[in-house]
């Protein structure tokens, strides 16, 4: 009996020990420095963690013996066997690759890296297509710091906001964590489901960390990095890599009986879209096992000075399939003396290479944030976080989360509102906003600077006063009131408009609105002439291009998404249109050879032909289609990410002669547009429009089909919808029309190869435009331009042909439409 009890006791204790878990923790160093985001995992699995920003790690394991792998890009891997019967501290010092490298001596001919790269490039497609489907789980942490803020900006913030500078402007300014499940199936089906999210100091927000945005595939020819560069970057394994890169074999590493080649990559030309750094290629298989690459300002990246990309691969299925288990995306920036840095680090685990994902699992929904993802408490994160927080991160969470609790109280919100709602002197110039934070209400009133005093020959000097009132809800529904008052000092004409919009379904972008108005409007209600530009040309050059009439009435609008990618909008108007005449001839510079033209767009020298007052009742519906539109779903919101197919819209407008109105016409039109990414050659945008009047029983001039023309040096219209040299009103159509626009942005493909010009960071653009209508048989424009001047300006030289069979030319200056 005693022996039986001893056996039973041993059995129970053994099972308790086996089921028990302990924590293996410590610090990863190398070359006497902490190694942030080192990878620690169980040999033969992808179960593991990363070290934090200070090199500390914490790995929860079952009791017993384990072989733990410690790995960091640029350092030799270490495998250590541990026997856990209690929590254990294990500090690991990794050795630099250089210690284990066999010295390479190049006596003649090409560097030994070149034949290695040829073999790796030859097998690029094999490894890119090796895994047809898989699922995995990721943990992503994102952090951004502000390391310096010059005194001049501190003073500016204090002047404009009236607030003192506090410590939240330094150190960590953004910290977030997230966990998600990621699914992939060839050729390009993917879906990511975020099931937990935490943002420091913003408990109601969601992290936008996405594995799909970090898993750059260097087996592809080109690596696009959205938001950082207009052009993609050339992979070191690109089929034409030897045109762009220089390679150097730094040495070989022998680990577990396998040889890994450490290869340095450098661009042949600094301004080429290429990486600099190290890649690791396994001998014989010629696969990538590690990436440590950087981009610099010379590579024409935006917003940051340096960008680093690190990837660490590990075997998933024996030695035949390797997958990335760690992605790190780091950056540094300096802007007008403001400097900072940050990173996004992804730990990937639980790969399943045979998940048997059904095709109907994938849809146009590519990213989902689950309900309650941001409701996980700190205990959940302490258990599931694969890397311990640093002291800096712990401090940021404690400070911002406790601050948020205070800031969410009604007492705090009221006290802040009382302070901020006090009028200040600078409000007179820059505007004043009254907030009722507790009720989510804001009232905005413009200042002298933002109001804008303008001039035209109808109203003379005129002042527009715009204000708004907003009421928002936590579920993103909102009420928005907007108003505008306008007064002309020459014709003594008061005008204004008041609008209300209710945003009632954020997931469908649904809104309904109503507006009442009595105000001067341009004949072309797309407003091709900027009021500021018209003011300058009128006062200084004696050219009053803007022509206006008074419109009084009411209109209602509706917009919604019917189903994914199909949008519907409607607009119903009942208005009275009154003619207006010039009442001012004010000039600052008087050109005796020029006279102001009349306010009749069809007759420059008399007002006698102006239209008579009339009423119109119109209705317009538009269907827009974005085929296979991809999107992100949040608990209360939908975010569109785009589509690889062109967009199409179809419109129908009808004027009905009822309620004492005279206008009677039908107008049908359609438009197709898209932007094509052509890789290193840039991007091509096009827009095709066409339509016609099906009925013209009674058509007034303001009902004509107008085009976005321009007769000034300044182009303020959309480049892909407008003409640079076309008169504003002369060729407006009253029967049919067709227009086509195309522009190719080379993104520096040509200029970056010219020694002096490539330092200016400017880019080339060329475009073509066509207009055909019943009033203008054929009109062509070709523009050659330089954009990204000082990062914001664009300059074009334009040739036009078709008006009186003559060639005309001119220059235009505008703002980059894509920054």
């Amino acid at each position: 009996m005693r022996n039986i009890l001893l056996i039973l006791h041993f059995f129970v204790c053994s099972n308790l020990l086996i089921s028990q878990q302990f924590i293996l923790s410590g610090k990863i160093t190398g070359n006497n420095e902490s190694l942030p985001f080192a990878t620690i995992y169980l040999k033969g699995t992808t179960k593991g963690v990363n070290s934090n920003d200070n090199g500390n790690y914490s790995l929860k394991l079952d009791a017993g013996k384990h072989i733990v792998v410690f790995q960091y890009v640029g350092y030799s891997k270490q495998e250590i066997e541990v026997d856990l019967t209690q929590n254990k501290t294990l500090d690991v010092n990794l050795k630099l690759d250089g210690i284990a490298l066999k010295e390479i001596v190049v006596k003649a001919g090409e560097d030994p890296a070149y034949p290695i790269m040829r073999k790796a490039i030859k097998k690029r497609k094999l490894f890119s297509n090796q895994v047809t489907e898989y699922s995995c789980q990721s943990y992503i942490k994102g952090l951004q710091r502000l390391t310096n803020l010059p005194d001049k900006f501190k003073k500016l913030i204090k002047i404009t906001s009236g607030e003192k500078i506090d410590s939240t402007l330094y150190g960590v300014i953004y910290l977030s964590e997230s966990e998600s499940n990621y699914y992939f199936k060839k050729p390009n089906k993917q879906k990511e489901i975020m099931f937990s999210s935490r943002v420091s100091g913003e408990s109601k927000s969601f992290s936008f960390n996405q594995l799909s945005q970090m898993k750059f595939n260097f087996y592809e020819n080109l690596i696009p990095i959205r938001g950082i560069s207009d052009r993609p970057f050339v992979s070191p394994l690109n089929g034409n890599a030897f045109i762009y890169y220089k390679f150097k074999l730094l040495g070989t590493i022998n680990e577990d009986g396998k040889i890994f080649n450490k290869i340095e990559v450098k661009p042949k030309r600094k301004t080429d879209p290429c990486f600099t750094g190290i890649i690791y290629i396994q001998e014989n298989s010629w696969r990538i096992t590690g990436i440590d690459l950087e981009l610099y300002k010379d590579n024409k990246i935006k917003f940051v000075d340096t960008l680093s990309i690190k990837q660490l691969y590990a075997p998933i299925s024996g030695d035949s399939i390797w997958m990335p288990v760690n992605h790190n995306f780091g950056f540094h920036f300096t802007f007008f003396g403001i400097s900072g840095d940050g990173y996004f680090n992804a730990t990937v685990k639980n790969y399943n290479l045979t998940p048997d994902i059904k095709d109907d699992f994938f849809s146009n929904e590519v990213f989902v944030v689950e309900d309650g993802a941001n409701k996980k408490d700190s205990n959940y994160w302490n258990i599931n976080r694969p890397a311990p927080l640093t002291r800096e991160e712990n401090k940021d969470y404690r400070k911002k989360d406790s601050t948020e609790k205070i800031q969410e109280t009604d007492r705090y919100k009221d006290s802040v509102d009382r302070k901020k709602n006090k009028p200040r002197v600078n409000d007179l110039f820059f505007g004043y906003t009254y907030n009722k934070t507790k009720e989510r209400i804001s009232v905005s009133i413009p200042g002298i600077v933002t109001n804008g005093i303008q001039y035209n020959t109808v109203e003379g000097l005129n002042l527009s006063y715009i204000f708004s009132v907003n009421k928002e809800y936590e579920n993103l529904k909102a009420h928005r009131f907007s108003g505008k008052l306008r007064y002309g000092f020459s014709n003594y004409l008061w005008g204004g408009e008041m609008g209300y919009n209710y945003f009632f379904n954020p997931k469908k972008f649904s809104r309904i609105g109503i507006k009442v108005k009595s105000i001067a409007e341009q004949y072309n209600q797309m407003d091709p002439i900027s009021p500021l530009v018209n003011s300058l040309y009128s006062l200084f050059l004696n050219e009053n291009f803007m022509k206006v009439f008074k419109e009084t009435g009411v209109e209602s609008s509706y917009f919604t998404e019917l189903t994914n990618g199909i949008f519907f909008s409607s607009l119903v108007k009942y208005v009275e249109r009154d003619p207006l005449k010039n009442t001012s001839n004010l000039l600052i510079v008087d050109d005796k050879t020029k006279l102001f033209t009349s306010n009749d767009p069809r007759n420059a020298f008399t007002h006698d032909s102006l239209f008579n007052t009339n009423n119109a009742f119109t209705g317009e519906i538009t269907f827009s289609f974005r085929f296979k539109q991809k999107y992100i779903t949040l608990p209360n919101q939908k975010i569109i990410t785009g589509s690889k197919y062109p967009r199409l819209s179809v419109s129908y407008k009808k004027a009905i002669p009822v309620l004492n109105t005279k206008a009677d016409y039908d107008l049908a039109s359609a438009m197709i547009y898209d932007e094509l990414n052509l890789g290193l050659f840039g991007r091509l945008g096009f827009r095709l429009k066409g339509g016609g009047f099906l009925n013209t029983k009674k058509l007034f001039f303001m009902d004509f089909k107008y085009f976005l023309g321009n007769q000034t040096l300044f182009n303020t219209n959309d480049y892909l919808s407008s003409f640079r040299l076309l008169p504003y009103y002369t060729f407006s159509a009253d029967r049919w029309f067709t227009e086509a626009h195309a522009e190719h942005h080379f993104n520096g493909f040509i200029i970056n190869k010219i020694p002096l010009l490539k330092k200016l960071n400017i880019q080339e653009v060329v475009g073509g435009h066509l207009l055909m209508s019943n009033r203008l048989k054929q009109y062509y424009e070709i523009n050659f331009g330089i954009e990204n001047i000082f990062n914001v300006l664009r300059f074009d030289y334009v040739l036009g042909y078709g008006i009186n069979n003559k060639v005309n030319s001119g220059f235009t200056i505008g703002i980059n439409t894509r920054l």
Side-chain angles (χ1 to χ4, degrees):
M1 178 65 69
R2 182 182 178 184
N3 290 336
I4 294 173
L5 290 175
L6 286 174
I7 293 171
L8 182 61
H9 176 75
F10 177 78
F11 178 78
V12 172
C13 289
S14 298
N15 276 276
L16 286 173
L17 187 63
I18 291 171
S19 62
Q20 193 170 2
Q21 287 191 323
F22 297 107
I23 295 176
L24 179 68
S25 61
K27 187 167 187 174
I28 312 297
T29 58
N31 198 27
N32 297 318
E33 293 182 351
S34 301
L35 297 182
F37 317 118
T39 299
I40 304 97
Y41 63 95
L42 289 182
K43 186 175 182 180
T45 74
T46 58
K47 179 182 179 181
V49 296
N50 283 134
S51 62
N52 65 19
D53 202 15
N54 293 334
N56 296 312
Y57 75 94
S58 177
L59 178 61
K60 187 179 292 185
L61 296 172
D62 293 332
K65 293 183 179 181
H66 305 277
I67 297 178
V68 183
V69 181
F70 299 85
Q71 198 167 2
Y72 190 81
V73 175
Y75 289 77
S76 296
K77 178 176 68 176
Q78 281 195 35
E79 296 182 0
I80 300 176
E81 184 175 355
V82 296
D83 186 1
L84 292 181
T85 58
Q86 60 183 358
N87 293 339
K88 183 174 183 178
T89 299
L90 177 63
D91 296 332
V92 178
N93 182 40
L94 298 181
K95 296 180 180 180
L96 283 168
D97 283 338
I99 297 174
L101 292 179
K102 177 182 176 183
E103 185 178 359
I104 301 297
V105 179
V106 181
K107 295 182 179 179
E110 67 180 5
D111 190 279
Y114 284 85
I116 295 172
M117 292 305 301
R118 287 192 189 95
K119 294 172 183 176
I121 291 170
K122 188 175 181 179
K123 298 192 74 173
R124 175 178 63 84
K125 290 184 178 180
L126 170 66
F127 291 123
S128 183
N129 298 312
Q130 186 179 27
V131 178
T132 58
E133 64 175 343
Y134 68 90
S135 65
C136 62
Q137 186 176 322
S138 71
Y139 163 84
I140 302 176
K141 181 192 291 182
L143 181 145
Q144 285 86 54
R145 302 182 188 91
L146 192 62
T147 56
N148 183 60
L149 183 68
D151 291 339
K152 59 184 178 181
F153 286 101
K154 297 177 187 177
K155 294 177 181 178
L156 179 62
I157 293 172
K158 186 174 182 180
I159 290 172
T160 55
S161 68
E163 295 294 314
K164 293 183 179 180
I165 308 302
D166 60 38
S167 59
T168 59
L169 289 173
Y170 298 95
V172 178
I173 57 175
Y174 176 80
L175 172 62
S176 71
E177 300 174 274
S178 67
E179 293 177 297
S180 62
N181 291 316
Y182 178 79
Y183 306 87
F184 176 85
K185 190 171 186 177
K186 286 286 187 180
N188 193 30
K189 296 177 180 179
Q190 59 180 334
K191 189 170 187 175
E192 189 169 356
I193 302 175
M194 181 184 290
F195 58 87
S196 61
S197 170
R198 185 181 185 185
V199 180
S200 181
E202 299 179 33
S203 61
K204 297 178 182 179
S205 299
F206 298 96
S207 166
F208 277 90
N209 304 338
Q210 296 182 49
L211 181 63
S212 55
Q213 299 297 318
M214 295 184 65
K215 50 181 279 301
F216 304 114
N217 185 357
F218 284 86
Y219 289 119
E220 297 291 336
N221 277 323
L222 300 174
I223 311 296
I225 306 179
R226 294 193 306 175
I228 294 298
S229 176
D230 293 329
R231 56 183 183 170
F233 296 93
V234 179
S235 168
L237 272 70
N238 184 290
N240 296 312
F242 298 112
I243 297 175
Y244 296 94
Y245 284 103
K246 294 183 291 185
F247 299 98
K248 181 180 180 181
L249 181 62
L250 299 180
T252 59
I253 307 161
N254 195 324
E255 290 181 349
D256 301 329
K258 302 180 183 67
I259 296 175
F260 301 89
N261 299 288
K262 183 177 182 180
I263 298 175
E264 179 184 60
V265 300
K266 286 184 176 180
K268 287 188 174 181
R269 294 165 293 274
K270 284 185 177 181
T271 54
D272 275 352
C274 296
F275 298 94
T276 300
I278 306 294
I279 61 172
Y280 295 83
I281 303 293
Q282 186 183 40
E283 188 79 12
N284 297 322
S285 71
W286 314 115
R287 64 163 54 91
I288 298 173
T289 61
I291 294 286
D292 189 359
L293 300 173
E294 290 191 334
L295 295 167
Y296 305 102
K297 273 292 186 184
D298 286 340
N299 302 120
K300 309 301 181 184
I301 57 177
K302 299 186 291 187
F303 309 120
V304 296
D305 298 320
T306 61
L307 184 71
S308 66
I309 298 175
K310 294 182 180 180
Q311 292 182 346
L312 184 63
Y313 292 68
I316 304 300
S317 177
D319 191 51
S320 61
I321 297 177
W322 289 52
M323 298 289 283
V325 294
N326 179 251
H327 301 268
N328 186 269
F329 189 84
F331 56 88
H332 297 265
F333 67 87
T334 302
F335 182 73
F336 290 126
I338 302 172
S339 59
D341 58 39
Y343 67 83
F344 288 90
N345 188 76
T347 304
V348 188
K349 63 180 182 179
N350 297 339
Y351 274 102
N352 183 355
L353 303 184
T354 56
D356 191 26
I357 307 172
K358 304 300 182 184
D359 285 338
D360 59 4
F361 172 78
F362 296 101
S363 64
N364 293 313
E365 183 184 52
V366 294
F367 184 76
V368 184
V369 178
E370 291 185 341
D371 288 343
N374 59 351
K375 305 300 181 185
K376 309 292 175 65
D377 59 19
S378 58
N379 185 55
Y380 171 88
W381 287 104
N382 291 335
I383 294 172
N384 292 278
R385 182 184 292 118
L389 295 175
T390 65
R391 181 180 300 177
E392 178 186 43
E393 293 163 352
N394 264 313
K395 180 180 177 181
D396 188 72
Y397 270 132
R398 286 196 304 269
K399 180 178 180 180
K400 290 181 180 175
D401 289 350
S402 60
T403 300
E404 183 189 20
K405 290 179 181 178
I406 297 172
Q407 292 175 341
E408 285 299 310
T409 63
D410 291 347
R411 181 179 178 182
Y412 178 85
K413 292 176 181 178
D414 290 341
S415 66
V416 171
D417 286 345
R418 281 194 299 269
K419 184 176 181 180
K420 289 189 174 182
N421 289 340
K422 290 180 179 179
R424 299 184 298 271
V425 174
N426 58 292
D427 293 337
L428 180 65
F429 299 95
F430 299 102
Y432 170 75
T433 298
Y434 173 87
N435 287 295
K436 196 68 174 175
T437 308
K438 186 168 55 179
E439 283 81 20
R440 294 176 173 263
I441 295 174
S442 65
V443 180
S444 297
I445 302 172
I448 296 174
V449 174
T450 54
N451 253 322
I453 298 176
Q454 292 145 4
Y455 174 81
N456 62 63
T457 53
V458 173
E459 299 169 294
L461 289 175
N462 58 84
L463 175 65
S464 293
Y465 192 81
I466 303 170
F467 58 92
S468 64
V469 179
N470 295 321
K471 163 67 177 176
E472 298 181 351
Y473 300 90
E474 284 191 11
N475 59 8
L476 301 182
K477 293 182 180 181
H479 300 280
R480 294 181 183 171
F481 298 86
S482 60
K484 181 178 181 179
L485 290 175
R486 184 182 178 96
Y487 181 71
F489 289 91
S490 179
N491 65 351
Y492 310 109
L493 180 66
W494 281 98
E497 59 185 27
M498 177 69 74
Y500 163 74
N501 283 277
Y502 175 42
F503 297 79
F504 59 91
N505 188 346
K507 283 195 171 183
K508 293 287 187 180
F509 312 99
S510 303
R511 65 179 183 269
I512 189 168
I514 188 169
K515 181 190 290 185
V516 293
K517 65 178 180 178
S518 179
I519 199 168
E521 298 276 14
Q522 293 190 43
Y523 279 85
N524 182 349
Q525 296 195 15
M526 291 187 291
D527 294 342
I529 312 166
S530 161
L532 176 60
V533 172
N534 182 74
S535 300
L536 295 174
Y537 265 75
S538 298
L539 293 172
F540 291 93
L541 298 175
N542 293 45
E543 293 182 306
N544 57 324
F545 293 117
M546 183 185 290
K547 310 302 177 186
V548 297
F549 67 98
K550 183 181 177 184
E551 186 169 80
T552 303
V554 60
E555 63 183 58
S556 64
S557 61
Y558 176 75
F559 180 88
T560 193
E561 183 179 38
L562 300 176
T563 187
N564 183 53
I566 302 179
F567 299 87
F568 170 79
S569 64
S570 63
L571 178 65
V572 178
K573 297 173 64 174
Y574 180 82
V575 292
E576 178 182 87
R577 288 91 66 95
D578 296 299
L580 296 174
K581 297 182 179 181
N582 287 344
T583 63
S584 175
N585 58 3
L586 178 66
L587 291 167
I588 293 177
V589 176
D590 187 4
D591 186 344
K592 302 297 183 181
T593 65
K594 296 180 181 178
L595 294 174
F596 281 142
T597 57
S598 77
N599 191 46
D600 185 348
R602 292 178 292 181
N603 194 325
F605 305 106
T606 179
H607 286 100
D608 295 341
S609 60
L610 279 170
F611 68 91
N612 295 321
T613 297
N614 64 83
N615 298 332
F617 178 75
T618 61
E620 182 175 9
I621 59 172
T622 300
F623 288 92
S624 299
F625 305 88
R626 296 186 68 160
F627 303 103
K628 294 192 175 181
Q629 170 185 272
K630 305 296 182 183
Y631 63 94
I632 294 171
T633 301
L634 276 65
N636 291 317
Q637 190 180 9
K638 177 178 179 179
I639 300 172
I640 297 170
T641 61
S643 170
K644 65 179 181 179
Y645 296 99
R647 285 169 281 182
L648 171 68
S649 68
V650 180
S651 297
Y652 183 79
K653 184 177 182 180
K654 182 170 182 61
I656 307 172
V658 295
L659 302 176
N660 198 33
T661 63
K662 295 182 178 180
D664 185 359
Y665 62 87
D666 295 78
L667 172 63
S669 61
M671 175 173 62
I672 186 170
Y673 53 107
D674 198 11
E675 183 174 272
L676 306 177
N677 189 337
L678 302 181
L680 295 177
F681 296 99
R683 65 185 195 276
L684 172 67
F686 68 87
R687 193 179 298 260
L688 307 175
K689 303 179 184 179
F693 288 90
L694 308 179
N695 157 40
T696 57
K697 290 181 180 179
K698 188 61 178 179
L699 193 66
F700 295 93
F701 189 65
M702 69 284 295
D703 299 319
F704 281 30
K705 171 58 186 176
Y706 291 94
F707 310 104
L708 286 173
N710 182 53
Q711 293 174 256
T712 72
L713 176 65
F714 306 100
N715 182 36
T716 58
N717 298 316
D718 174 39
Y719 284 96
L720 203 56
S721 299
S722 63
F723 300 91
R724 317 301 193 268
L725 305 177
L726 183 71
Y728 293 111
Y729 305 105
T730 308
F731 301 106
S732 302
D734 60 354
R735 290 291 184 274
W736 60 270
F737 69 94
T738 299
E739 57 180 310
H741 306 269
E743 284 202 336
H744 184 76
H745 302 260
F746 288 90
N747 295 341
F749 179 77
I750 299 173
I751 289 180
N752 284 336
K753 295 177 176 59
I754 303 175
L756 295 178
L757 294 180
K758 66 182 181 181
K759 295 182 178 181
L760 300 178
N761 200 31
I762 56 178
Q763 299 175 356
E764 59 277 32
V765 59
V766 62
H769 310 267
L770 167 68
L771 173 63
M772 301 172 63
S773 74
N774 62 291
R775 289 181 172 267
L776 185 61
K777 185 176 180 181
Q778 288 180 341
Y779 175 72
Y780 308 92
E781 279 186 2
I782 300 175
N783 60 283
F784 306 90
I786 299 295
E787 58 185 349
N788 206 43
I789 303 170
F790 306 118
N791 294 320
V792 294
L793 296 179
R794 171 171 165 171
F795 180 83
D796 282 273
Y797 174 68
V798 189
L799 292 171
Y801 175 77
I803 300 176
N804 299 324
N805 293 321
K806 293 182 179 180
V807 175
N808 56 332
S809 62
F811 296 93
T812 62
I813 297 173
I815 304 296
N816 283 354
T817 55
R818 181 172 178 174
L819 301 179

